[in-house]
């Protein structure tokens, strides 16, 4: 899990992803620093909490001109396909995540 560093608090040692970074460097045109950023971006994406994902997708789809009804149907259909699927959420639960 990628965590914000807080001064004065000991940080757990971050897992090394050197094998994955090395693989990306060998199998793509990425430089080592670029490959490391890609790995961190992917880890952050999959570390996103369900509530944060729902809010982010709502903003993205709303800015694309979809109506709330279309947005909540689409988000409900997307959630089971996440890397770690959350429990099934009703449309009402999705609305409550976005609007409180």
């Amino acid at each position: 899990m990628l965590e914000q560093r807080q001064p004065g608090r000991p940080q757990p040692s971050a897992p090394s992803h050197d094998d994955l970074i090395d693989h990306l460097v060998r199998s793509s045109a990425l430089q080592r620093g670029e490959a490391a950023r890609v790995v961190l971006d992917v880890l952050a994406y999959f570390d996103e909490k369900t509530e944060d994902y729902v809010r982010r997708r709502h903003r993205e789809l709303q800015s694309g001109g979809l109506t709330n009804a279309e947005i909540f149907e689409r988000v409900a259909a997307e959630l089971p396909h996440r890397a770690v699927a959350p429990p099934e959420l009703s449309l009402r639960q999705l609305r409550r995540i976005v609007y409180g």
Side-chain angles (χ1 to χ4, degrees):
M1 182 167 141
L2 300 176
E3 305 221 9
Q4 296 285 12
R5 295 196 177 272
Q6 296 177 354
R9 293 186 77 188
Q11 298 295 316
S13 61
S16 173
H17 300 289
D18 288 337
D19 289 347
L20 178 56
I21 293 168
D22 291 340
H23 172 73
L24 289 172
V25 169
R26 283 191 311 272
S27 64
S28 70
L30 295 175
Q31 298 296 315
R32 187 163 184 78
E34 295 168 324
R37 282 192 303 277
V38 167
V39 168
L40 290 176
D41 284 349
V42 169
L43 291 173
Y45 175 83
F46 285 117
D47 195 39
E48 187 175 32
K49 294 179 180 143
T50 300
E51 292 82 4
D52 296 332
Y53 175 81
V54 169
R55 289 183 190 106
R56 178 177 60 79
R57 286 298 288 149
H58 182 269
R59 281 191 310 272
E60 291 171 354
L61 296 170
Q62 192 174 48
S63 70
L66 274 69
T67 66
N68 277 342
E70 294 168 320
I71 291 170
F72 293 123
E73 287 287 340
R74 182 174 296 182
V75 171
E78 290 174 355
L79 285 173
H81 301 287
R82 300 273 299 157
V84 178
E88 186 174 340
L89 299 173
S90 69
L91 298 180
R92 181 172 187 258
Q93 288 172 308
L94 294 173
R95 284 191 294 274
R96 291 195 68 170
I97 288 172
V98 173
Y99 297 113

